[in-house]
Amino acid sequence: MALIVQKFGGSSVANAERVFNVADIVTKTYAEGNSVVVVVSAQGDTTDDLIEKAQEINPQASKREMDMLLTAGEQISASLLAMAIEKLGYPVVSLLGWQAGFHTSSAYGSARIKRVIPDRIKKELDKKNIVIVTGFQGINRYDDMTTLGRGGSDTSAVAIAAVMNADLCQIYTDVEGVFTADPRKVKNARKLSVISYDEMLELASLGAQVLNNRSVEMAKKYNIQLEVLSSLTRAKGTIVKEAKQMEKMMISGVAKDEKVARISIIGVPDKPGLAFKIFSKLAAKNVNVDIILQSIGRNGTKDISFTVDQQNLKDTIELLSAYVELIGASSVVYDENVAKVSVVGAGMETHPGVAADMFEALYEANINITMISTSEIKISVLISKEDADKAVAVIHDKFFSEAIHA
Amino acid sequence: MALIVQKFGGSSVANAERVFNVADIVTKTYAEGNSVVVVVSAQGDTTDDLIEKAQEINPQASKREMDMLLTAGEQISASLLAMAIEKLGYPVVSLLGWQAGFHTSSAYGSARIKRVIPDRIKKELDKKNIVIVTGFQGINRYDDMTTLGRGGSDTSAVAIAAVMNADLCQIYTDVEGVFTADPRKVKNARKLSVISYDEMLELASLGAQVLNNRSVEMAKKYNIQLEVLSSLTRAKGTIVKEAKQMEKMMISGVAKDEKVARISIIGVPDKPGLAFKIFSKLAAKNVNVDIILQSIGRNGTKDISFTVDQQNLKDTIELLSAYVELIGASSVVYDENVAKVSVVGAGMETHPGVAADMFEALYEANINITMISTSEIKISVLISKEDADKAVAVIHDKFFSEAIHA
C-alpha cells in the first residue's frame, strides 16, 4: 500500500495501442493495492503539430496564446488515457493542471511551479480513483494557462510526489534507465541500477536527456526517490536517490554534448574586473556559460574562451561584438565544431587519478583536448565534434571494461 | 460605440486562411469603435477527429472524459484566432469557458448554462482587448469541464450577449442568412431580411439547421437581437428579433425534415387515459413526439400514430413493444420512409387560407399527405420521403412566386 506517481512521456502514449499499454501498467500498479497518480505528456508529435499550426498563423504569437494552445495537447492525452483505463474497468478521473492545483509563476512558456494545492487529487484518491494529471502545465495568478517548458512533465510528476509525500515517482520513458554511456553508440554501455541526484544532474546537463534537470533538482530538494524506466520493455529501471544512501561509484557515466559552441574574446586588456563585467553581461541576458579558459596575459592582453549552448550562440556573438570595442578587446571568434565529453561520478572526489585515466584514454586514441573543466563529481573536456563518439567509446572502455567500481 | 458579440462556427475557422478571414471581420468591427466579444467553435473537423480518437480507445467512454477531450478543440481554435488578431496588430486575449465564467449543469455532453459571471470578460474589455471565448463549454459545480452539446456555441454567444446586455449578437456561419427554403434545392429561395424568434424556432426545429434552437429561445427570453450571416461573403444577413417590432410576414419559409419516422400503435382499446399513459411514458424517456394522429375508434379500438426523430426510433419501438401488450393493443408498426414539410409564418394566424393553398400545391403535384399538424405559425404535413424536395419546391412556388406577403 504505497502512493506511487507515474509519469509517461509523449512517445509512451503516441497512439491507441501505446495508450492501452500505459493503461495496463497503471492499472496493474493500482490492482496491487497502491494509490496511483499518473502524469501524462501530450501524445507523440501533438505539441510539435500545434506549434506548426501557430507558426503558420503567427510566428511571433504571444507566449500567453502559445500556452493556451499547447496545454490542449495534454488535455487530449489525459482524457484518452482515462478512457482506456475506464475500458479496462478501473475507476479513473483526469484532471487539468489547474484542477490538480498547479499554481505557477507568470512566465508563459517557461513557468515555474510556485505551489501545488493537491486538494482535488486527494479527494479523488480517497474515492479510490486512479488520478490522471496533465503534465507540463498550470495556471498563474491571473488564472491564465501556463506551460513549464519542454520536459516540464517530469517536474509536474516530481512536484506531485513531493507535495503528496509519495513513496516513489516513476518516470516512464523510451529508454530502460540511465546508462554508463549512450547504449545506441557504446556497445558495452551498462544500465545503472542506482545513481545519485547529483550525478543525475551532471549527466542530464551534459546531454544525456533522460530526465529534465529541474525535476531532478526538485526530487533532490524534497528527497523523492525517482525511478527511470521504459514503458515498453517494463524492465527494472534506474533508481535516482540520495548519494549517502548508497555505495558511491567512482564513475557513473560518460556523456557527450554536441550542442555547444566555443567563443573566444581575443586581446582583452589585462585589467582587473573585465572578465567579471563580460560574464555579468551574459548572465543578465540569461546566457549560461560553461567551461571557461583564460589565457595567461601577454603584452598586456589575454584571451578569454568559454562555451555556450549553440542556441545561445547568435545572441551571444551579437552582444559581445558590440561590447568588445567598449572594453578595448580586439575581436570575438567562435567555433561550432566542438563537443563536450564528460565523466560523472560521485566517488570521484575520493578516488584520485580519474582525470589522468580519462586523458590517457584520449591520448591513446589520438584525440586532442581543447579545454578542460572539473568539479567534485565531473570532468569535462572540449574536443572536435568528429571525435566525440570515439572519445565516449574509449573513455567508457577505460573505466568500465576494467570494472574499477569503488 | 456598441458591444457586439460575434460567433464563428467551425467551418469559418477551418484553416489558417479562414482564421485570418475571421480575424479581419473581428478587427474591422473593433476598429469601428465597438467592443467585441468573439465566440468560436472548434476548427472544421476537429471535434469529429477527437471523437474518432475516443472511439478507437473506448466507444463507451464516460461523458465526463469525452467532455474533457472535446473541450480541447475550442481551446485550439480560440488561441489560433487570438494569434491571427495579434498578427494584425490588435490587442486580444482568448479565454476558456471557465475563465469566461460559464457555469453549467453537471450533465456532461449536454450541459445547460446555469449562469455566466462575466467579470473577466468585462475586465478584458475595459483594457480595450478583443475578447475571444471558447464556445460550447463551461464548468460544473465540481469544477469539471462540460460541453453544451452540438450547436452549443450559438448558445454560448447568446448567453454572453444576454448577460453583457450586448447591442447585437452576430452568428457567422456558412450560409448567408435565413432563406424561405433551402437555397441549394429551391432556385427561387429568398433570403429574409428579418424574421421573428418564433418563426426561427419553428424553422430550426424543422431542420433548417441555421441556428441552434436553445440559442434562439435564449435570445427571445432576453430579447437579444441576432443576425445570421456568412463569414465568407460578408453580405448583410437575416436579423432575428421580436415579432411585434416588425411587419408580420404571412409565410417566412418552407422547411423539410427527413430525419423523422412515423410510429403507429394499432388496436388501442378505446378507453380514456390510454393515450395519456403512452405519451407520458415516452416523455419520461425524453422521446419528443411531434405530429399525433388518432383514428376514430371502431370496434372498441383505435390507432394512434405519431412521429419521432429517427434517432429515437429504436428506443421508442423497444419501449412500446413491451408496453403494447400491457395496455391491450395489438401491435406497433413504423415507417422511416417519410418526411415532414412545413410552412412557417407569424402572419399566418391572421391570414386564413394558408393551409388550403399548401394542400392545393401538393394536390396539383400529385403528392399524398399522410398526417397534418398545425400551430398558430406553422402547418406541417407528413409525406413520402421521395416527394420531399418536390413538395418544398411547389409549396415555395405557391407562396413566393405570387408574392403574397402581408
Side-chain angles (χ1 to χ4, degrees):
Chain A
M1 280 290 271
L3 171 59
I4 298 180
V5 177
Q6 300 183 316
K7 180 258 169 179
F8 296 92
S11 63
S12 295
V13 291
N15 53 44
E17 188 193 337
R18 294 262 177 106
V19 169
F20 272 108
N21 176 57
V22 168
D24 185 58
I25 294 174
V26 170
T27 54
K28 279 202 166 74
T29 309
Y30 177 88
E32 284 164 5
N34 301 298
S35 295
V36 186
V37 180
V38 180
V39 174
V40 71
S41 302
Q43 286 190 295
D45 298 326
T46 304
T47 303
D48 291 330
D49 290 348
L50 290 174
I51 289 173
E52 199 177 303
K53 266 175 182 277
Q55 288 284 331
E56 197 188 346
I57 284 177
N58 184 357
Q60 274 86 45
S62 68
K63 286 183 176 172
R64 182 199 182 274
E65 296 301 335
M66 281 304 293
D67 280 2
M68 181 67 115
L69 177 70
L70 295 182
T71 47
E74 287 76 33
Q75 184 168 346
I76 292 169
S77 58
S79 50
L80 291 176
L81 177 56
M83 292 173 193
I85 291 174
E86 284 176 349
K87 177 91 177 175
L88 299 182
Y90 289 86
V92 64
V93 66
S94 70
L95 299 177
L96 298 172
W98 66 268
Q99 293 173 316
F102 273 81
H103 296 268
T104 75
S105 70
S106 290
Y108 299 108
S110 57
R112 297 231 151 214
I113 298 169
K114 288 171 74 174
R115 59 188 173 283
V116 180
I117 301 169
D119 296 355
R120 178 76 190 268
I121 295 177
K122 283 179 182 163
K123 213 169 90 182
E124 299 295 344
L125 289 177
D126 286 346
K127 287 197 255 174
K128 300 294 171 204
N129 277 325
I130 293 168
V131 180
I132 300 172
V133 178
T134 54
F136 174 69
Q137 61 178 245
I139 47 168
N140 63 17
R141 65 202 183 95
Y142 308 110
D143 271 3
D144 280 344
M145 313 295 273
T146 53
T147 67
L148 309 178
R150 288 270 166 151
S153 291
D154 290 355
T155 313
S156 303
V158 176
I160 292 175
V163 75
M164 301 282 295
N165 198 19
D167 299 283
L168 177 62
C169 181
Q170 295 183 311
I171 308 288
Y172 284 87
T173 172
D174 48 6
V175 297
E176 286 200 356
V178 182
F179 284 75
T180 53
D182 185 340
R184 290 165 302 186
K185 299 277 177 63
V186 178
K187 70 173 197 298
N188 294 322
R190 296 182 204 159
K191 186 166 70 183
L192 297 167
S193 60
V194 66
I195 188 172
S196 74
Y197 296 123
D198 287 337
E199 289 170 306
M200 192 64 233
L201 280 169
E202 292 287 7
L203 284 172
S205 68
L206 294 171
Q209 290 179 335
V210 175
L211 271 180
N212 174 271
N213 246 4
R214 279 160 63 192
S215 65
V216 182
E217 281 164 12
M218 194 183 283
K220 182 185 176 185
K221 183 171 173 188
Y222 295 98
N223 199 22
I224 300 301
Q225 184 165 314
L226 301 178
E227 182 178 6
V228 178
L229 67 178
S230 161
S231 62
L232 302 176
T233 69
R234 302 196 194 182
K236 214 169 147 36
T238 300
I239 294 283
V240 187
K241 62 180 186 179
E242 195 49 63
K244 62 186 169 219
Q245 299 169 339
M246 59 184 181
E247 186 183 18
K248 285 187 183 181
M249 280 176 302
M250 192 168 86
I251 302 297
S252 58
V254 184
K256 70 166 176 177
D257 182 359
E258 296 186 329
K259 290 180 182 155
V260 292
R262 184 183 53 172
I263 296 176
S264 298
I265 309 176
I266 309 296
V268 180
D270 204 357
K271 290 191 292 189
L274 279 184
F276 166 75
K277 279 184 189 165
I278 291 167
F279 292 118
S280 313
K281 202 152 188 78
L282 294 175
K285 292 284 178 181
N286 277 320
V287 174
N288 232 334
V289 167
D290 192 16
I291 313 182
I292 299 174
L293 186 80
Q294 186 172 307
S295 70
I296 295 159
R298 60 168 192 276
N299 303 331
T301 69
K302 57 194 175 188
D303 303 340
I304 297 177
S305 300
F306 53 88
T307 59
V308 296
D309 274 1
Q310 272 180 10
Q311 62 178 1
N312 289 326
L313 179 61
K314 195 165 155 278
D315 287 352
T316 309
I317 293 295
E318 274 173 21
L319 186 70
L320 290 176
S321 299
Y323 195 56
V324 144
E325 215 175 329
L326 207 67
I327 60 170
S330 54
S331 64
V332 178
V333 297
Y334 67 90
D335 184 0
E336 288 184 277
N337 185 34
V338 293
K340 184 167 60 175
V341 171
S342 311
V343 293
V344 172
M348 199 183 280
E349 48 185 327
T350 55
H351 288 73
V354 172
D357 283 344
M358 182 183 184
F359 300 158
E360 186 181 26
L362 294 172
Y363 169 73
E364 285 165 359
N366 203 23
I367 294 169
N368 195 36
I369 301 172
T370 325
M371 294 169 88
I372 299 170
S373 134
T374 61
S375 78
E376 277 122 8
I377 65 165
K378 183 186 72 166
I379 303 170
S380 299
V381 296
L382 201 72
I383 58 177
S384 280
K385 194 170 280 176
E386 61 263 30
D387 291 333
D389 285 336
K390 191 174 160 200
V392 170
V394 298
I395 295 169
H396 189 270
D397 242 34
K398 188 82 180 175
F399 291 106
F400 292 98
S401 66
E402 294 171 19
I404 47 167
H405 277 70
Chain B
M1 280 289 272
L3 171 59
I4 298 180
V5 176
Q6 300 182 317
K7 181 259 171 179
F8 296 91
S11 62
S12 295
V13 291
N15 54 42
E17 188 193 339
R18 294 258 177 109
V19 169
F20 272 107
N21 176 57
V22 168
D24 185 57
I25 293 173
V26 170
T27 54
K28 280 201 165 74
T29 309
Y30 177 86
E32 285 164 4
N34 301 298
S35 295
V36 186
V37 179
V38 180
V39 174
V40 69
S41 301
Q43 286 190 296
D45 299 327
T46 304
T47 303
D48 290 331
D49 290 347
L50 290 174
I51 289 173
E52 199 177 301
K53 265 177 182 277
Q55 288 283 331
E56 196 189 347
I57 285 177
N58 184 356
Q60 275 85 44
S62 69
K63 286 184 176 170
R64 181 197 183 275
E65 296 300 336
M66 281 305 292
D67 280 2
M68 181 65 115
L69 178 69
L70 295 181
T71 46
E74 287 76 33
Q75 184 168 346
I76 292 170
S77 58
S79 50
L80 290 177
L81 177 56
M83 291 173 195
I85 291 174
E86 285 177 348
K87 176 91 176 173
L88 299 183
Y90 289 86
V92 64
V93 65
S94 70
L95 300 177
L96 298 171
W98 66 269
Q99 293 173 318
F102 272 81
H103 297 267
T104 75
S105 71
S106 291
Y108 299 107
S110 57
R112 296 232 154 213
I113 297 169
K114 288 171 73 174
R115 60 188 173 284
V116 179
I117 301 169
D119 296 355
R120 179 76 189 265
I121 295 178
K122 282 180 181 162
K123 214 168 87 181
E124 298 295 346
L125 288 177
D126 286 346
K127 287 196 255 175
K128 300 296 171 199
N129 278 324
I130 294 168
V131 180
I132 301 172
V133 177
T134 54
F136 174 71
Q137 61 178 245
I139 48 169
N140 64 17
R141 64 202 184 94
Y142 308 110
D143 271 0
D144 280 344
M145 311 296 273
T146 54
T147 67
L148 309 178
R150 287 269 166 154
S153 291
D154 290 355
T155 313
S156 303
V158 176
I160 291 175
V163 75
M164 301 282 296
N165 198 20
D167 299 284
L168 177 62
C169 180
Q170 294 182 312
I171 308 288
Y172 284 88
T173 171
D174 49 5
V175 297
E176 287 200 355
V178 183
F179 283 75
T180 52
D182 185 340
R184 291 164 302 186
K185 299 275 177 64
V186 178
K187 70 173 195 299
N188 295 322
R190 296 182 204 157
K191 185 165 71 184
L192 298 167
S193 58
V194 66
I195 189 172
S196 74
Y197 296 122
D198 287 338
E199 289 170 305
M200 192 65 234
L201 281 169
E202 292 287 8
L203 284 173
S205 68
L206 294 170
Q209 289 180 335
V210 176
L211 272 181
N212 173 272
N213 246 5
R214 278 159 65 193
S215 66
V216 181
E217 281 164 12
M218 193 183 285
K220 182 185 176 186
K221 184 170 171 190
Y222 295 97
N223 199 22
I224 300 299
Q225 184 164 313
L226 300 179
E227 182 178 5
V228 178
L229 67 176
S230 160
S231 60
L232 301 177
T233 69
R234 304 197 193 179
K236 215 168 148 38
T238 299
I239 294 283
V240 188
K241 61 180 187 179
E242 195 48 67
K244 63 185 169 222
Q245 299 168 337
M246 59 185 180
E247 187 184 15
K248 286 186 182 183
M249 280 177 299
M250 193 168 87
I251 302 296
S252 57
V254 184
K256 71 166 177 178
D257 182 0
E258 296 186 329
K259 290 179 182 156
V260 293
R262 184 183 53 174
I263 297 176
S264 298
I265 310 177
I266 309 296
V268 180
D270 204 358
K271 291 190 292 191
L274 277 185
F276 166 74
K277 279 185 190 165
I278 290 168
F279 292 117
S280 314
K281 203 155 187 75
L282 293 175
K285 293 283 178 183
N286 278 320
V287 174
N288 230 337
V289 166
D290 191 18
I291 313 181
I292 300 173
L293 186 80
Q294 184 171 306
S295 71
I296 296 156
R298 56 167 196 275
N299 305 330
T301 69
K302 58 191 173 190
D303 304 338
I304 297 176
S305 300
F306 52 89
T307 59
V308 296
D309 272 1
Q310 273 181 7
Q311 61 178 3
N312 289 327
L313 179 61
K314 193 164 158 278
D315 287 352
T316 310
I317 293 295
E318 274 173 21
L319 186 71
L320 290 175
S321 299
Y323 195 58
V324 144
E325 215 174 329
L326 207 70
I327 60 171
S330 54
S331 64
V332 178
V333 296
Y334 66 91
D335 184 359
E336 289 182 275
N337 185 32
V338 293
K340 184 168 61 173
V341 172
S342 311
V343 293
V344 172
M348 199 182 280
E349 50 185 327
T350 55
H351 287 75
V354 172
D357 283 344
M358 183 184 183
F359 301 158
E360 187 182 27
L362 293 171
Y363 168 73
E364 285 166 358
N366 204 24
I367 294 169
N368 196 35
I369 301 173
T370 326
M371 295 170 85
I372 298 170
S373 137
T374 61
S375 78
E376 279 123 7
I377 65 165
K378 183 187 70 167
I379 302 169
S380 299
V381 295
L382 201 72
I383 59 178
S384 281
K385 194 170 281 179
E386 60 264 29
D387 291 333
D389 286 336
K390 190 174 160 198
V392 171
V394 298
I395 295 169
H396 188 269
D397 243 32
K398 188 81 179 175
F399 290 106
F400 291 98
S401 68
E402 295 173 18
I404 47 165
H405 275 73

